[in-house]
Every structure is written in C-alpha cells, then in structure tokens.
Amino acid sequence: MLRVVSWNINGIRSPVQGVGYEEPSNCTAMTMGRILDKLDADIVCLQETKVTRDVLTEPLAIIEGCNSYFSFSRNRSGYSGVATFCKDSATPVAAEEGLSGLLATQNGDVGCYGNMDDFTQEELRALDSEGRALLTQHKICTWEGKEKTLTLINVYCPHADPGKPERLAFKMRFYRLLQIRAEALLAAGSHVIILGDLNTAHRPIDHWDAVNLECFEEDPGRKWMDHLLSNLGCQAGSHMGPFIDSYRCFHPKQKGAFTCWSTVSGARHLNYGSRLDYVLGDRTLVMDTFQASFLLPEVMGSDHCPVGAVLSVSSVPAKQCPPLCTRFLPEFAGTQLKILRFLVRLEQDPVFRQSALQLSNQTPVQMRQNKARVRSTRSRPSQPGSSRGQKNLMSYFQPSSSRPQASPNLGLPSLGNLMTPKTSEEDVMANVVEGRAKASEAKDEKEVRTSFWKSLLGGPLPMPLCGGHREPCVMRTVKKPGPNLGRHFYMCARPQGPPTDPSSRCSFFLWSRPS
C-alpha cells in the first residue's frame, strides 16, 4: 500500500502543535520528524511552508529515513512555498521545481511540459517565482506486478483577493498552466496525482455558506474545476474531465467535510468552513488503485487539516535521490566553503625572517644583556625632590583646617549630664495619639488623591452585552481600507457558525464611542 498525505501547514518553522490529536494548548511543539511519524505516510506534501533557502535549517530539511524537496518563493520572504517529504522506501526517480520548466536543471527533471505557447516567458517566470509547485516522479508496482510511473504534483494555488482583481487573473493563469502540465504528463504515459491546497471550494456541499454567496456556480475557479474533474454521477455523454476528486469518489454525499476554517473567528469549533484541499487522481488510477480517501480534522496546528489517500500499489525506490534533494544542497552536504578558505597564509619578508632566526639563536646570557641595554635606554623618572617627579602618596593627605582642635583644658561632661531624663506616662500617651492622628491624616489625604484621579481617569468602560446571548462582547478593529479604517466596534465573542445554530455567534454589532 502507498499512503500519501497533503497538509497546508501554515508555516513550517512555527511550533506545529496538536499533531498528537489534542488541542494545541494542551501539547508541546513537535519536531518535523515526529510530525511525519504521526501523519504516517509514505509521501507527505506540505504547502505554505513560508521559508526561503537562506532560513531553511537542517532539522527541518534533513529527516532521518526521508528525503525532502523544497520550492521557495523568489520574491518574498516568509511567503508561500511547498515541500515534499518521501520515505526512503518511496524515493523518487526525478524531482522538479515549478510547472513551466524554467527552473529545471536538465538533470533529474520530470520533463513533459506540453504546449505553453499561450504564455510569455515573463508570465511563466512570474507564475513559478512564488514557489507554488513541486513535482516528484516515482516508480510503482501494481498488484498485478506491472511497473508504472506515478507523478505527484504538490501545489499551493494562489488566493484570489476580492480587492485585487489582478490576483484572480494570476490564479486562473496558474490553473491553466497546472492543467497543461498535468495533461502532458498523462499523454506521456505517466499516472498523475494533483494534491494540495487548490484554494477553491468546488461544490456547494464543500462550502458551509454557499447558499448565501453571490453567483457561487459562476466563480471562474469552480468552472475550471468543472472542466478538470469528472462528475461520477453525471449521465453518459456529458463532459468527463481527466481527473477525479478522490474524496467525493468515496464520500459523494458527506456534508461538513471541510479542511479550512477561519482562525480569527474560531470557526473550527463549530465546523464552519470549506473544503479547499484535495487529492485528485487521473481516472484510471483512481478506479484501479485508490482504496480510500480521507480527511484528518482532528489534527491541529494550522488553519487547514491534512487530507490523504491510500493506493493499492507498492513503491519502487530509486537507487539515488534526484539532484533537487535538500541533502545535496551545499549547506547541508558539508561542501559549503568555510571562512578559513578565504584566509591566505601571509608570506614573511626575508629581512624579518633573518632577524627572527638571529633572535632564536641567541644564548640566554646574550638575551639578558639585550634586555639590560633596552632598560638603560629608557627615560628615567625624576628625583623625588624635583617638580617633575612622581608625587609622594602622603602629599594627597592634608590636615583639615576646618576641623576644631581639641582643647587640653576642655573637661569631660559629668555622668549626670549624660543621663536622659525620665519621660512621664502622659507624655508617652500624647506622642502615641499625635502619631495616630498624623497617620490618619496621611491616609485621608491619599484617599482624596486616589478618588480625584479615579474621577479624572475613569478607565476602560465595561464591555457591552451582545443581544443574542447577553454575554460580554469583544472589541475588534476595522482593517479593511475605507472611511472606517481603524475604527473599533463590539461584536459577539462566540465562534462563528451557521446562523441556525444558537450556540454560534449572534449578529450583534455596535460601534465603539470615540475616546
């Protein structure tokens, strides 16, 4: 069996928690090796790694028993990026970064690019510059004993920001390039699996609030998926795409099967999300070899959950990892130049070398004579009596003229004068009463000052109660550009959920008064 898993990890350097099937607050951060062990897959594809090569560390890149492959964003740090981890038993025969072939090294690449005449070189370079695609090609053996080729395309498709229409065009061009490459691989005789975050909820069943979204079916991304995928329930003669959504193949009517939730609104608690992560396989591969397709919503640590599939094939590992493998990077392979390589031994001057040789051949008696001669040539300090000589330490201590001298005729005070007169009991009580009165006055004065500042600085107002649950609200800030940017408002503190669920967030809204 071959088990593949895909997960948008939302930052591979952050302490990924919750892989132990617990709430994130109740468990400790886990290393990358333990994460892979928990996912228990032969091939793990990660998206949104948010690392560039200059910050990639060896504990993240080199895992015992695995070989890894990374694609980095060329333009921005801490953005996008994908990675594929393969067990040594599933070592690929080829690996390649990007979809266009412009990042190929001509050594160990996958190949099969298709007709890309519709794209300019600048456009292809831009589509591959964000580190959104990584291909690994494997040899597999079917239960019949036939050896075939399987290509995995690990993708993190762009998000279409409603406020940036150019990003929607970028997303659709990326979809187009992905389909051209996948179909070219199919035409070359390879089986193909597209897995990762496609950033589109295909059907209304894949989105919780699809009925309230405008023109849901008319979205360009959903139309592209309609063309790419085969509808297993469609009638004969209708369009049959080259790929199958493996999860809907095994769970065609499963509701609430979501893979992404908003962390800001806490929507995961009530499963108010959408399905953006997929494992798509070509029709023949899914029908013949797929045994299961699953989601892992119990795995915490990201705003996405892992998805995966099980195939009834065995992997035939390559004898050597492709050149793209991270273990061949100079910084991890031990071939990176060290700073000592840039330091050159200084050649000594012949005169200096001869004088050093003469010094080394001197006898101890000659060395003592030279030292005495050097001491005799030094300038001697001045005599103590001279004005330029070093001062005596006692010269800094002078008798003080302001201190009164003791008179020899001054008599000692009598013993009676040193005796303290006895204090009466009335005086003691008067002192106690006076001390208490002063303490009470100081306390009253402090209370007056405190009340004054409290009246002047009232402090934060209590949170208003929401209308639906009569519970304290939370304050939020408008971050969307516009006339209300930066304004504060109050809303229900409960997590977002379906409107029909009374335990979810109510519709209460109240602008905060300006300070």
Side-chain angles (χ1 to χ4, degrees):
M1 293 292 180
L2 180 69
R3 178 183 167 99
V4 296
V5 169
S6 171
W7 189 16
N8 182 320
I9 201 169
N10 193 21
I12 196 173
R13 288 187 297 166
S14 60
V16 183
Q17 300 178 352
V19 186
Y21 302 90
E22 301 175 10
E23 288 293 333
S25 58
N26 298 332
C27 63
T28 58
M30 309 182 75
T31 63
M32 195 66 224
R34 293 181 62 191
I35 292 173
L36 298 177
D37 290 341
K38 285 293 182 181
L39 294 177
D40 190 26
D42 299 287
I43 302 172
V44 175
C45 298
L46 303 178
Q47 300 86 41
E48 207 171 356
T49 57
K50 297 183 179 180
V51 292
T52 47
R53 181 171 171 178
D54 58 322
V55 296
L56 183 65
T57 60
E58 187 169 346
L60 292 177
I62 309 298
I63 308 298
E64 186 177 357
C66 293
N67 47 92
S68 60
Y69 308 84
F70 281 76
S71 179
F72 310 103
S73 173
R74 263 70 173 172
N75 300 328
R76 292 171 55 183
S77 180
Y79 175 73
S80 189
V82 294
T84 300
F85 290 81
C86 305
K87 285 186 177 180
D88 289 341
S89 58
T91 300
V93 296
E96 184 180 329
E97 185 181 5
L99 296 172
S100 66
L102 296 181
L103 303 179
T105 60
Q106 307 300 327
N107 185 14
D109 296 326
V110 175
C112 304
Y113 302 103
N115 185 3
M116 299 182 182
D117 295 341
D118 193 27
F119 298 85
T120 64
Q121 292 292 307
E122 292 76 11
E123 190 176 15
L124 292 174
R125 192 172 292 105
L127 290 171
D128 273 346
S129 66
E130 295 185 356
R132 294 185 175 274
L134 189 63
L135 285 73
T136 54
Q137 195 166 72
H138 306 258
K139 292 296 182 180
I140 58 173
C141 184
T142 66
W143 62 274
E144 299 171 341
K146 296 180 180 180
E147 188 173 299
K148 296 185 177 181
T149 302
L150 172 63
T151 304
L152 270 69
I153 307 180
N154 177 8
V155 291
Y156 173 46
C157 296
H159 170 68
D161 191 338
K164 298 179 180 179
E166 69 276 6
R167 290 303 291 178
L168 176 59
F170 185 87
K171 176 179 181 178
M172 298 311 301
R173 296 297 281 173
F174 186 88
Y175 278 159
R176 177 62 183 153
L177 183 61
L178 172 61
Q179 184 172 356
I180 290 175
R181 186 69 188 274
E183 291 178 349
L185 288 164
L186 285 176
S190 172
H191 288 297
V192 177
I193 293 178
I194 302 174
L195 72 169
D197 181 1
L198 297 187
N199 253 319
T200 295
H202 185 205
R203 299 292 185 190
I205 195 175
D206 300 320
H207 196 291
W208 183 262
D209 202 26
V211 293
N212 294 323
L213 294 179
E214 245 182 83
C215 305
F216 183 87
E217 301 285 353
E218 300 302 316
D219 179 79
R222 295 184 179 94
K223 286 188 172 183
W224 173 79
M225 293 190 73
D226 289 340
H227 181 73
L228 180 72
L229 301 178
S230 294
N231 187 353
L232 298 179
C234 64
Q235 299 178 357
S238 60
H239 172 72
M240 296 289 288
F243 289 89
I244 291 177
D245 180 355
S246 65
Y247 186 80
R248 285 302 170 203
C249 178
F250 289 91
H251 314 279
K253 297 182 180 180
Q254 180 65 48
K255 296 182 179 180
F258 305 136
T259 66
C260 181
W261 306 265
S262 171
T263 55
V264 176
S265 62
R268 191 166 188 169
H269 294 283
L270 298 175
N271 195 26
Y272 189 75
S274 56
R275 189 168 73 98
L276 306 180
D277 304 84
Y278 300 83
V279 179
L280 312 178
D282 66 82
R283 285 202 309 263
T284 304
L285 185 70
V286 172
M287 293 300 184
D288 294 345
T289 66
F290 271 57
Q291 298 297 304
S293 186
F294 54 86
L295 313 180
L296 298 175
E298 66 274 16
V299 177
M300 303 292 178
S302 172
D303 55 342
H304 292 247
C305 77
V307 300
V310 178
L311 289 71
S312 60
V313 298
S314 60
S315 177
V316 180
K319 295 182 180 179
Q320 186 177 0
C321 298
L324 189 64
C325 183
T326 52
R327 69 176 59 171
F328 297 136
L329 294 178
E331 54 266 40
F332 303 134
T335 60
Q336 190 173 31
L337 294 179
K338 299 187 179 194
I339 193 170
L340 292 177
R341 296 286 300 275
F342 297 94
L343 302 179
V344 182
R345 182 183 296 273
L346 180 63
E347 294 187 4
Q348 295 180 348
D349 186 73
V351 177
F352 176 79
R353 189 184 300 110
Q354 184 177 2
S355 60
L357 183 60
Q358 292 176 355
L359 287 174
S360 63
N361 294 333
Q362 286 183 350
T363 63
V365 176
Q366 291 174 334
M367 294 178 67
R368 284 196 297 269
Q369 291 176 353
N370 290 337
K371 289 182 180 179
R373 191 179 301 109
V374 170
R375 283 197 299 267
S376 64
T377 57
R378 293 177 182 170
S379 60
R380 296 183 180 179
S382 304
Q383 298 298 326
S386 64
S387 59
R388 296 180 60 187
Q390 187 176 13
K391 291 184 178 181
N392 195 329
L393 183 62
M394 295 302 296
S395 65
Y396 293 95
F397 296 92
Q398 300 291 341
S400 176
S401 60
S402 62
R403 185 174 181 178
Q405 301 293 330
S407 175
N409 298 326
L410 187 61
L412 295 173
S414 63
L415 183 62
N417 295 334
L418 295 176
M419 298 289 292
T420 304
K422 292 184 178 180
T423 306
S424 62
E425 186 177 352
E426 291 80 4
D427 293 340
V428 173
M429 293 300 297
N431 292 336
V432 172
V433 172
E434 183 181 358
R436 290 181 178 177
K438 290 182 178 180
S440 177
E441 290 177 2
K443 183 177 180 182
D444 293 341
E445 185 180 357
K446 182 179 180 181
E447 290 180 354
V448 170
R449 289 199 304 265
T450 303
S451 61
F452 168 75
W453 285 110
K454 281 186 177 180
S455 63
L456 187 63
L457 304 173
L461 296 174
M463 288 289 180
L465 303 181
C466 67
H469 311 99
R470 306 304 299 170
E471 296 175 352
C473 294
V474 292
M475 178 182 286
R476 302 294 188 203
T477 306
V478 178
K479 297 182 179 180
K480 185 177 181 180
N484 293 321
L485 179 65
R487 288 190 63 182
H488 302 290
F489 62 93
Y490 300 102
M491 62 185 302
C492 180
R494 293 200 177 191
Q496 187 179 10
T500 56
D501 189 346
S503 63
S504 65
R505 175 188 300 170
C506 64
S507 59
F508 179 81
F509 178 88
L510 177 66
W511 285 112
S512 174
R513 291 187 303 175
S515 57

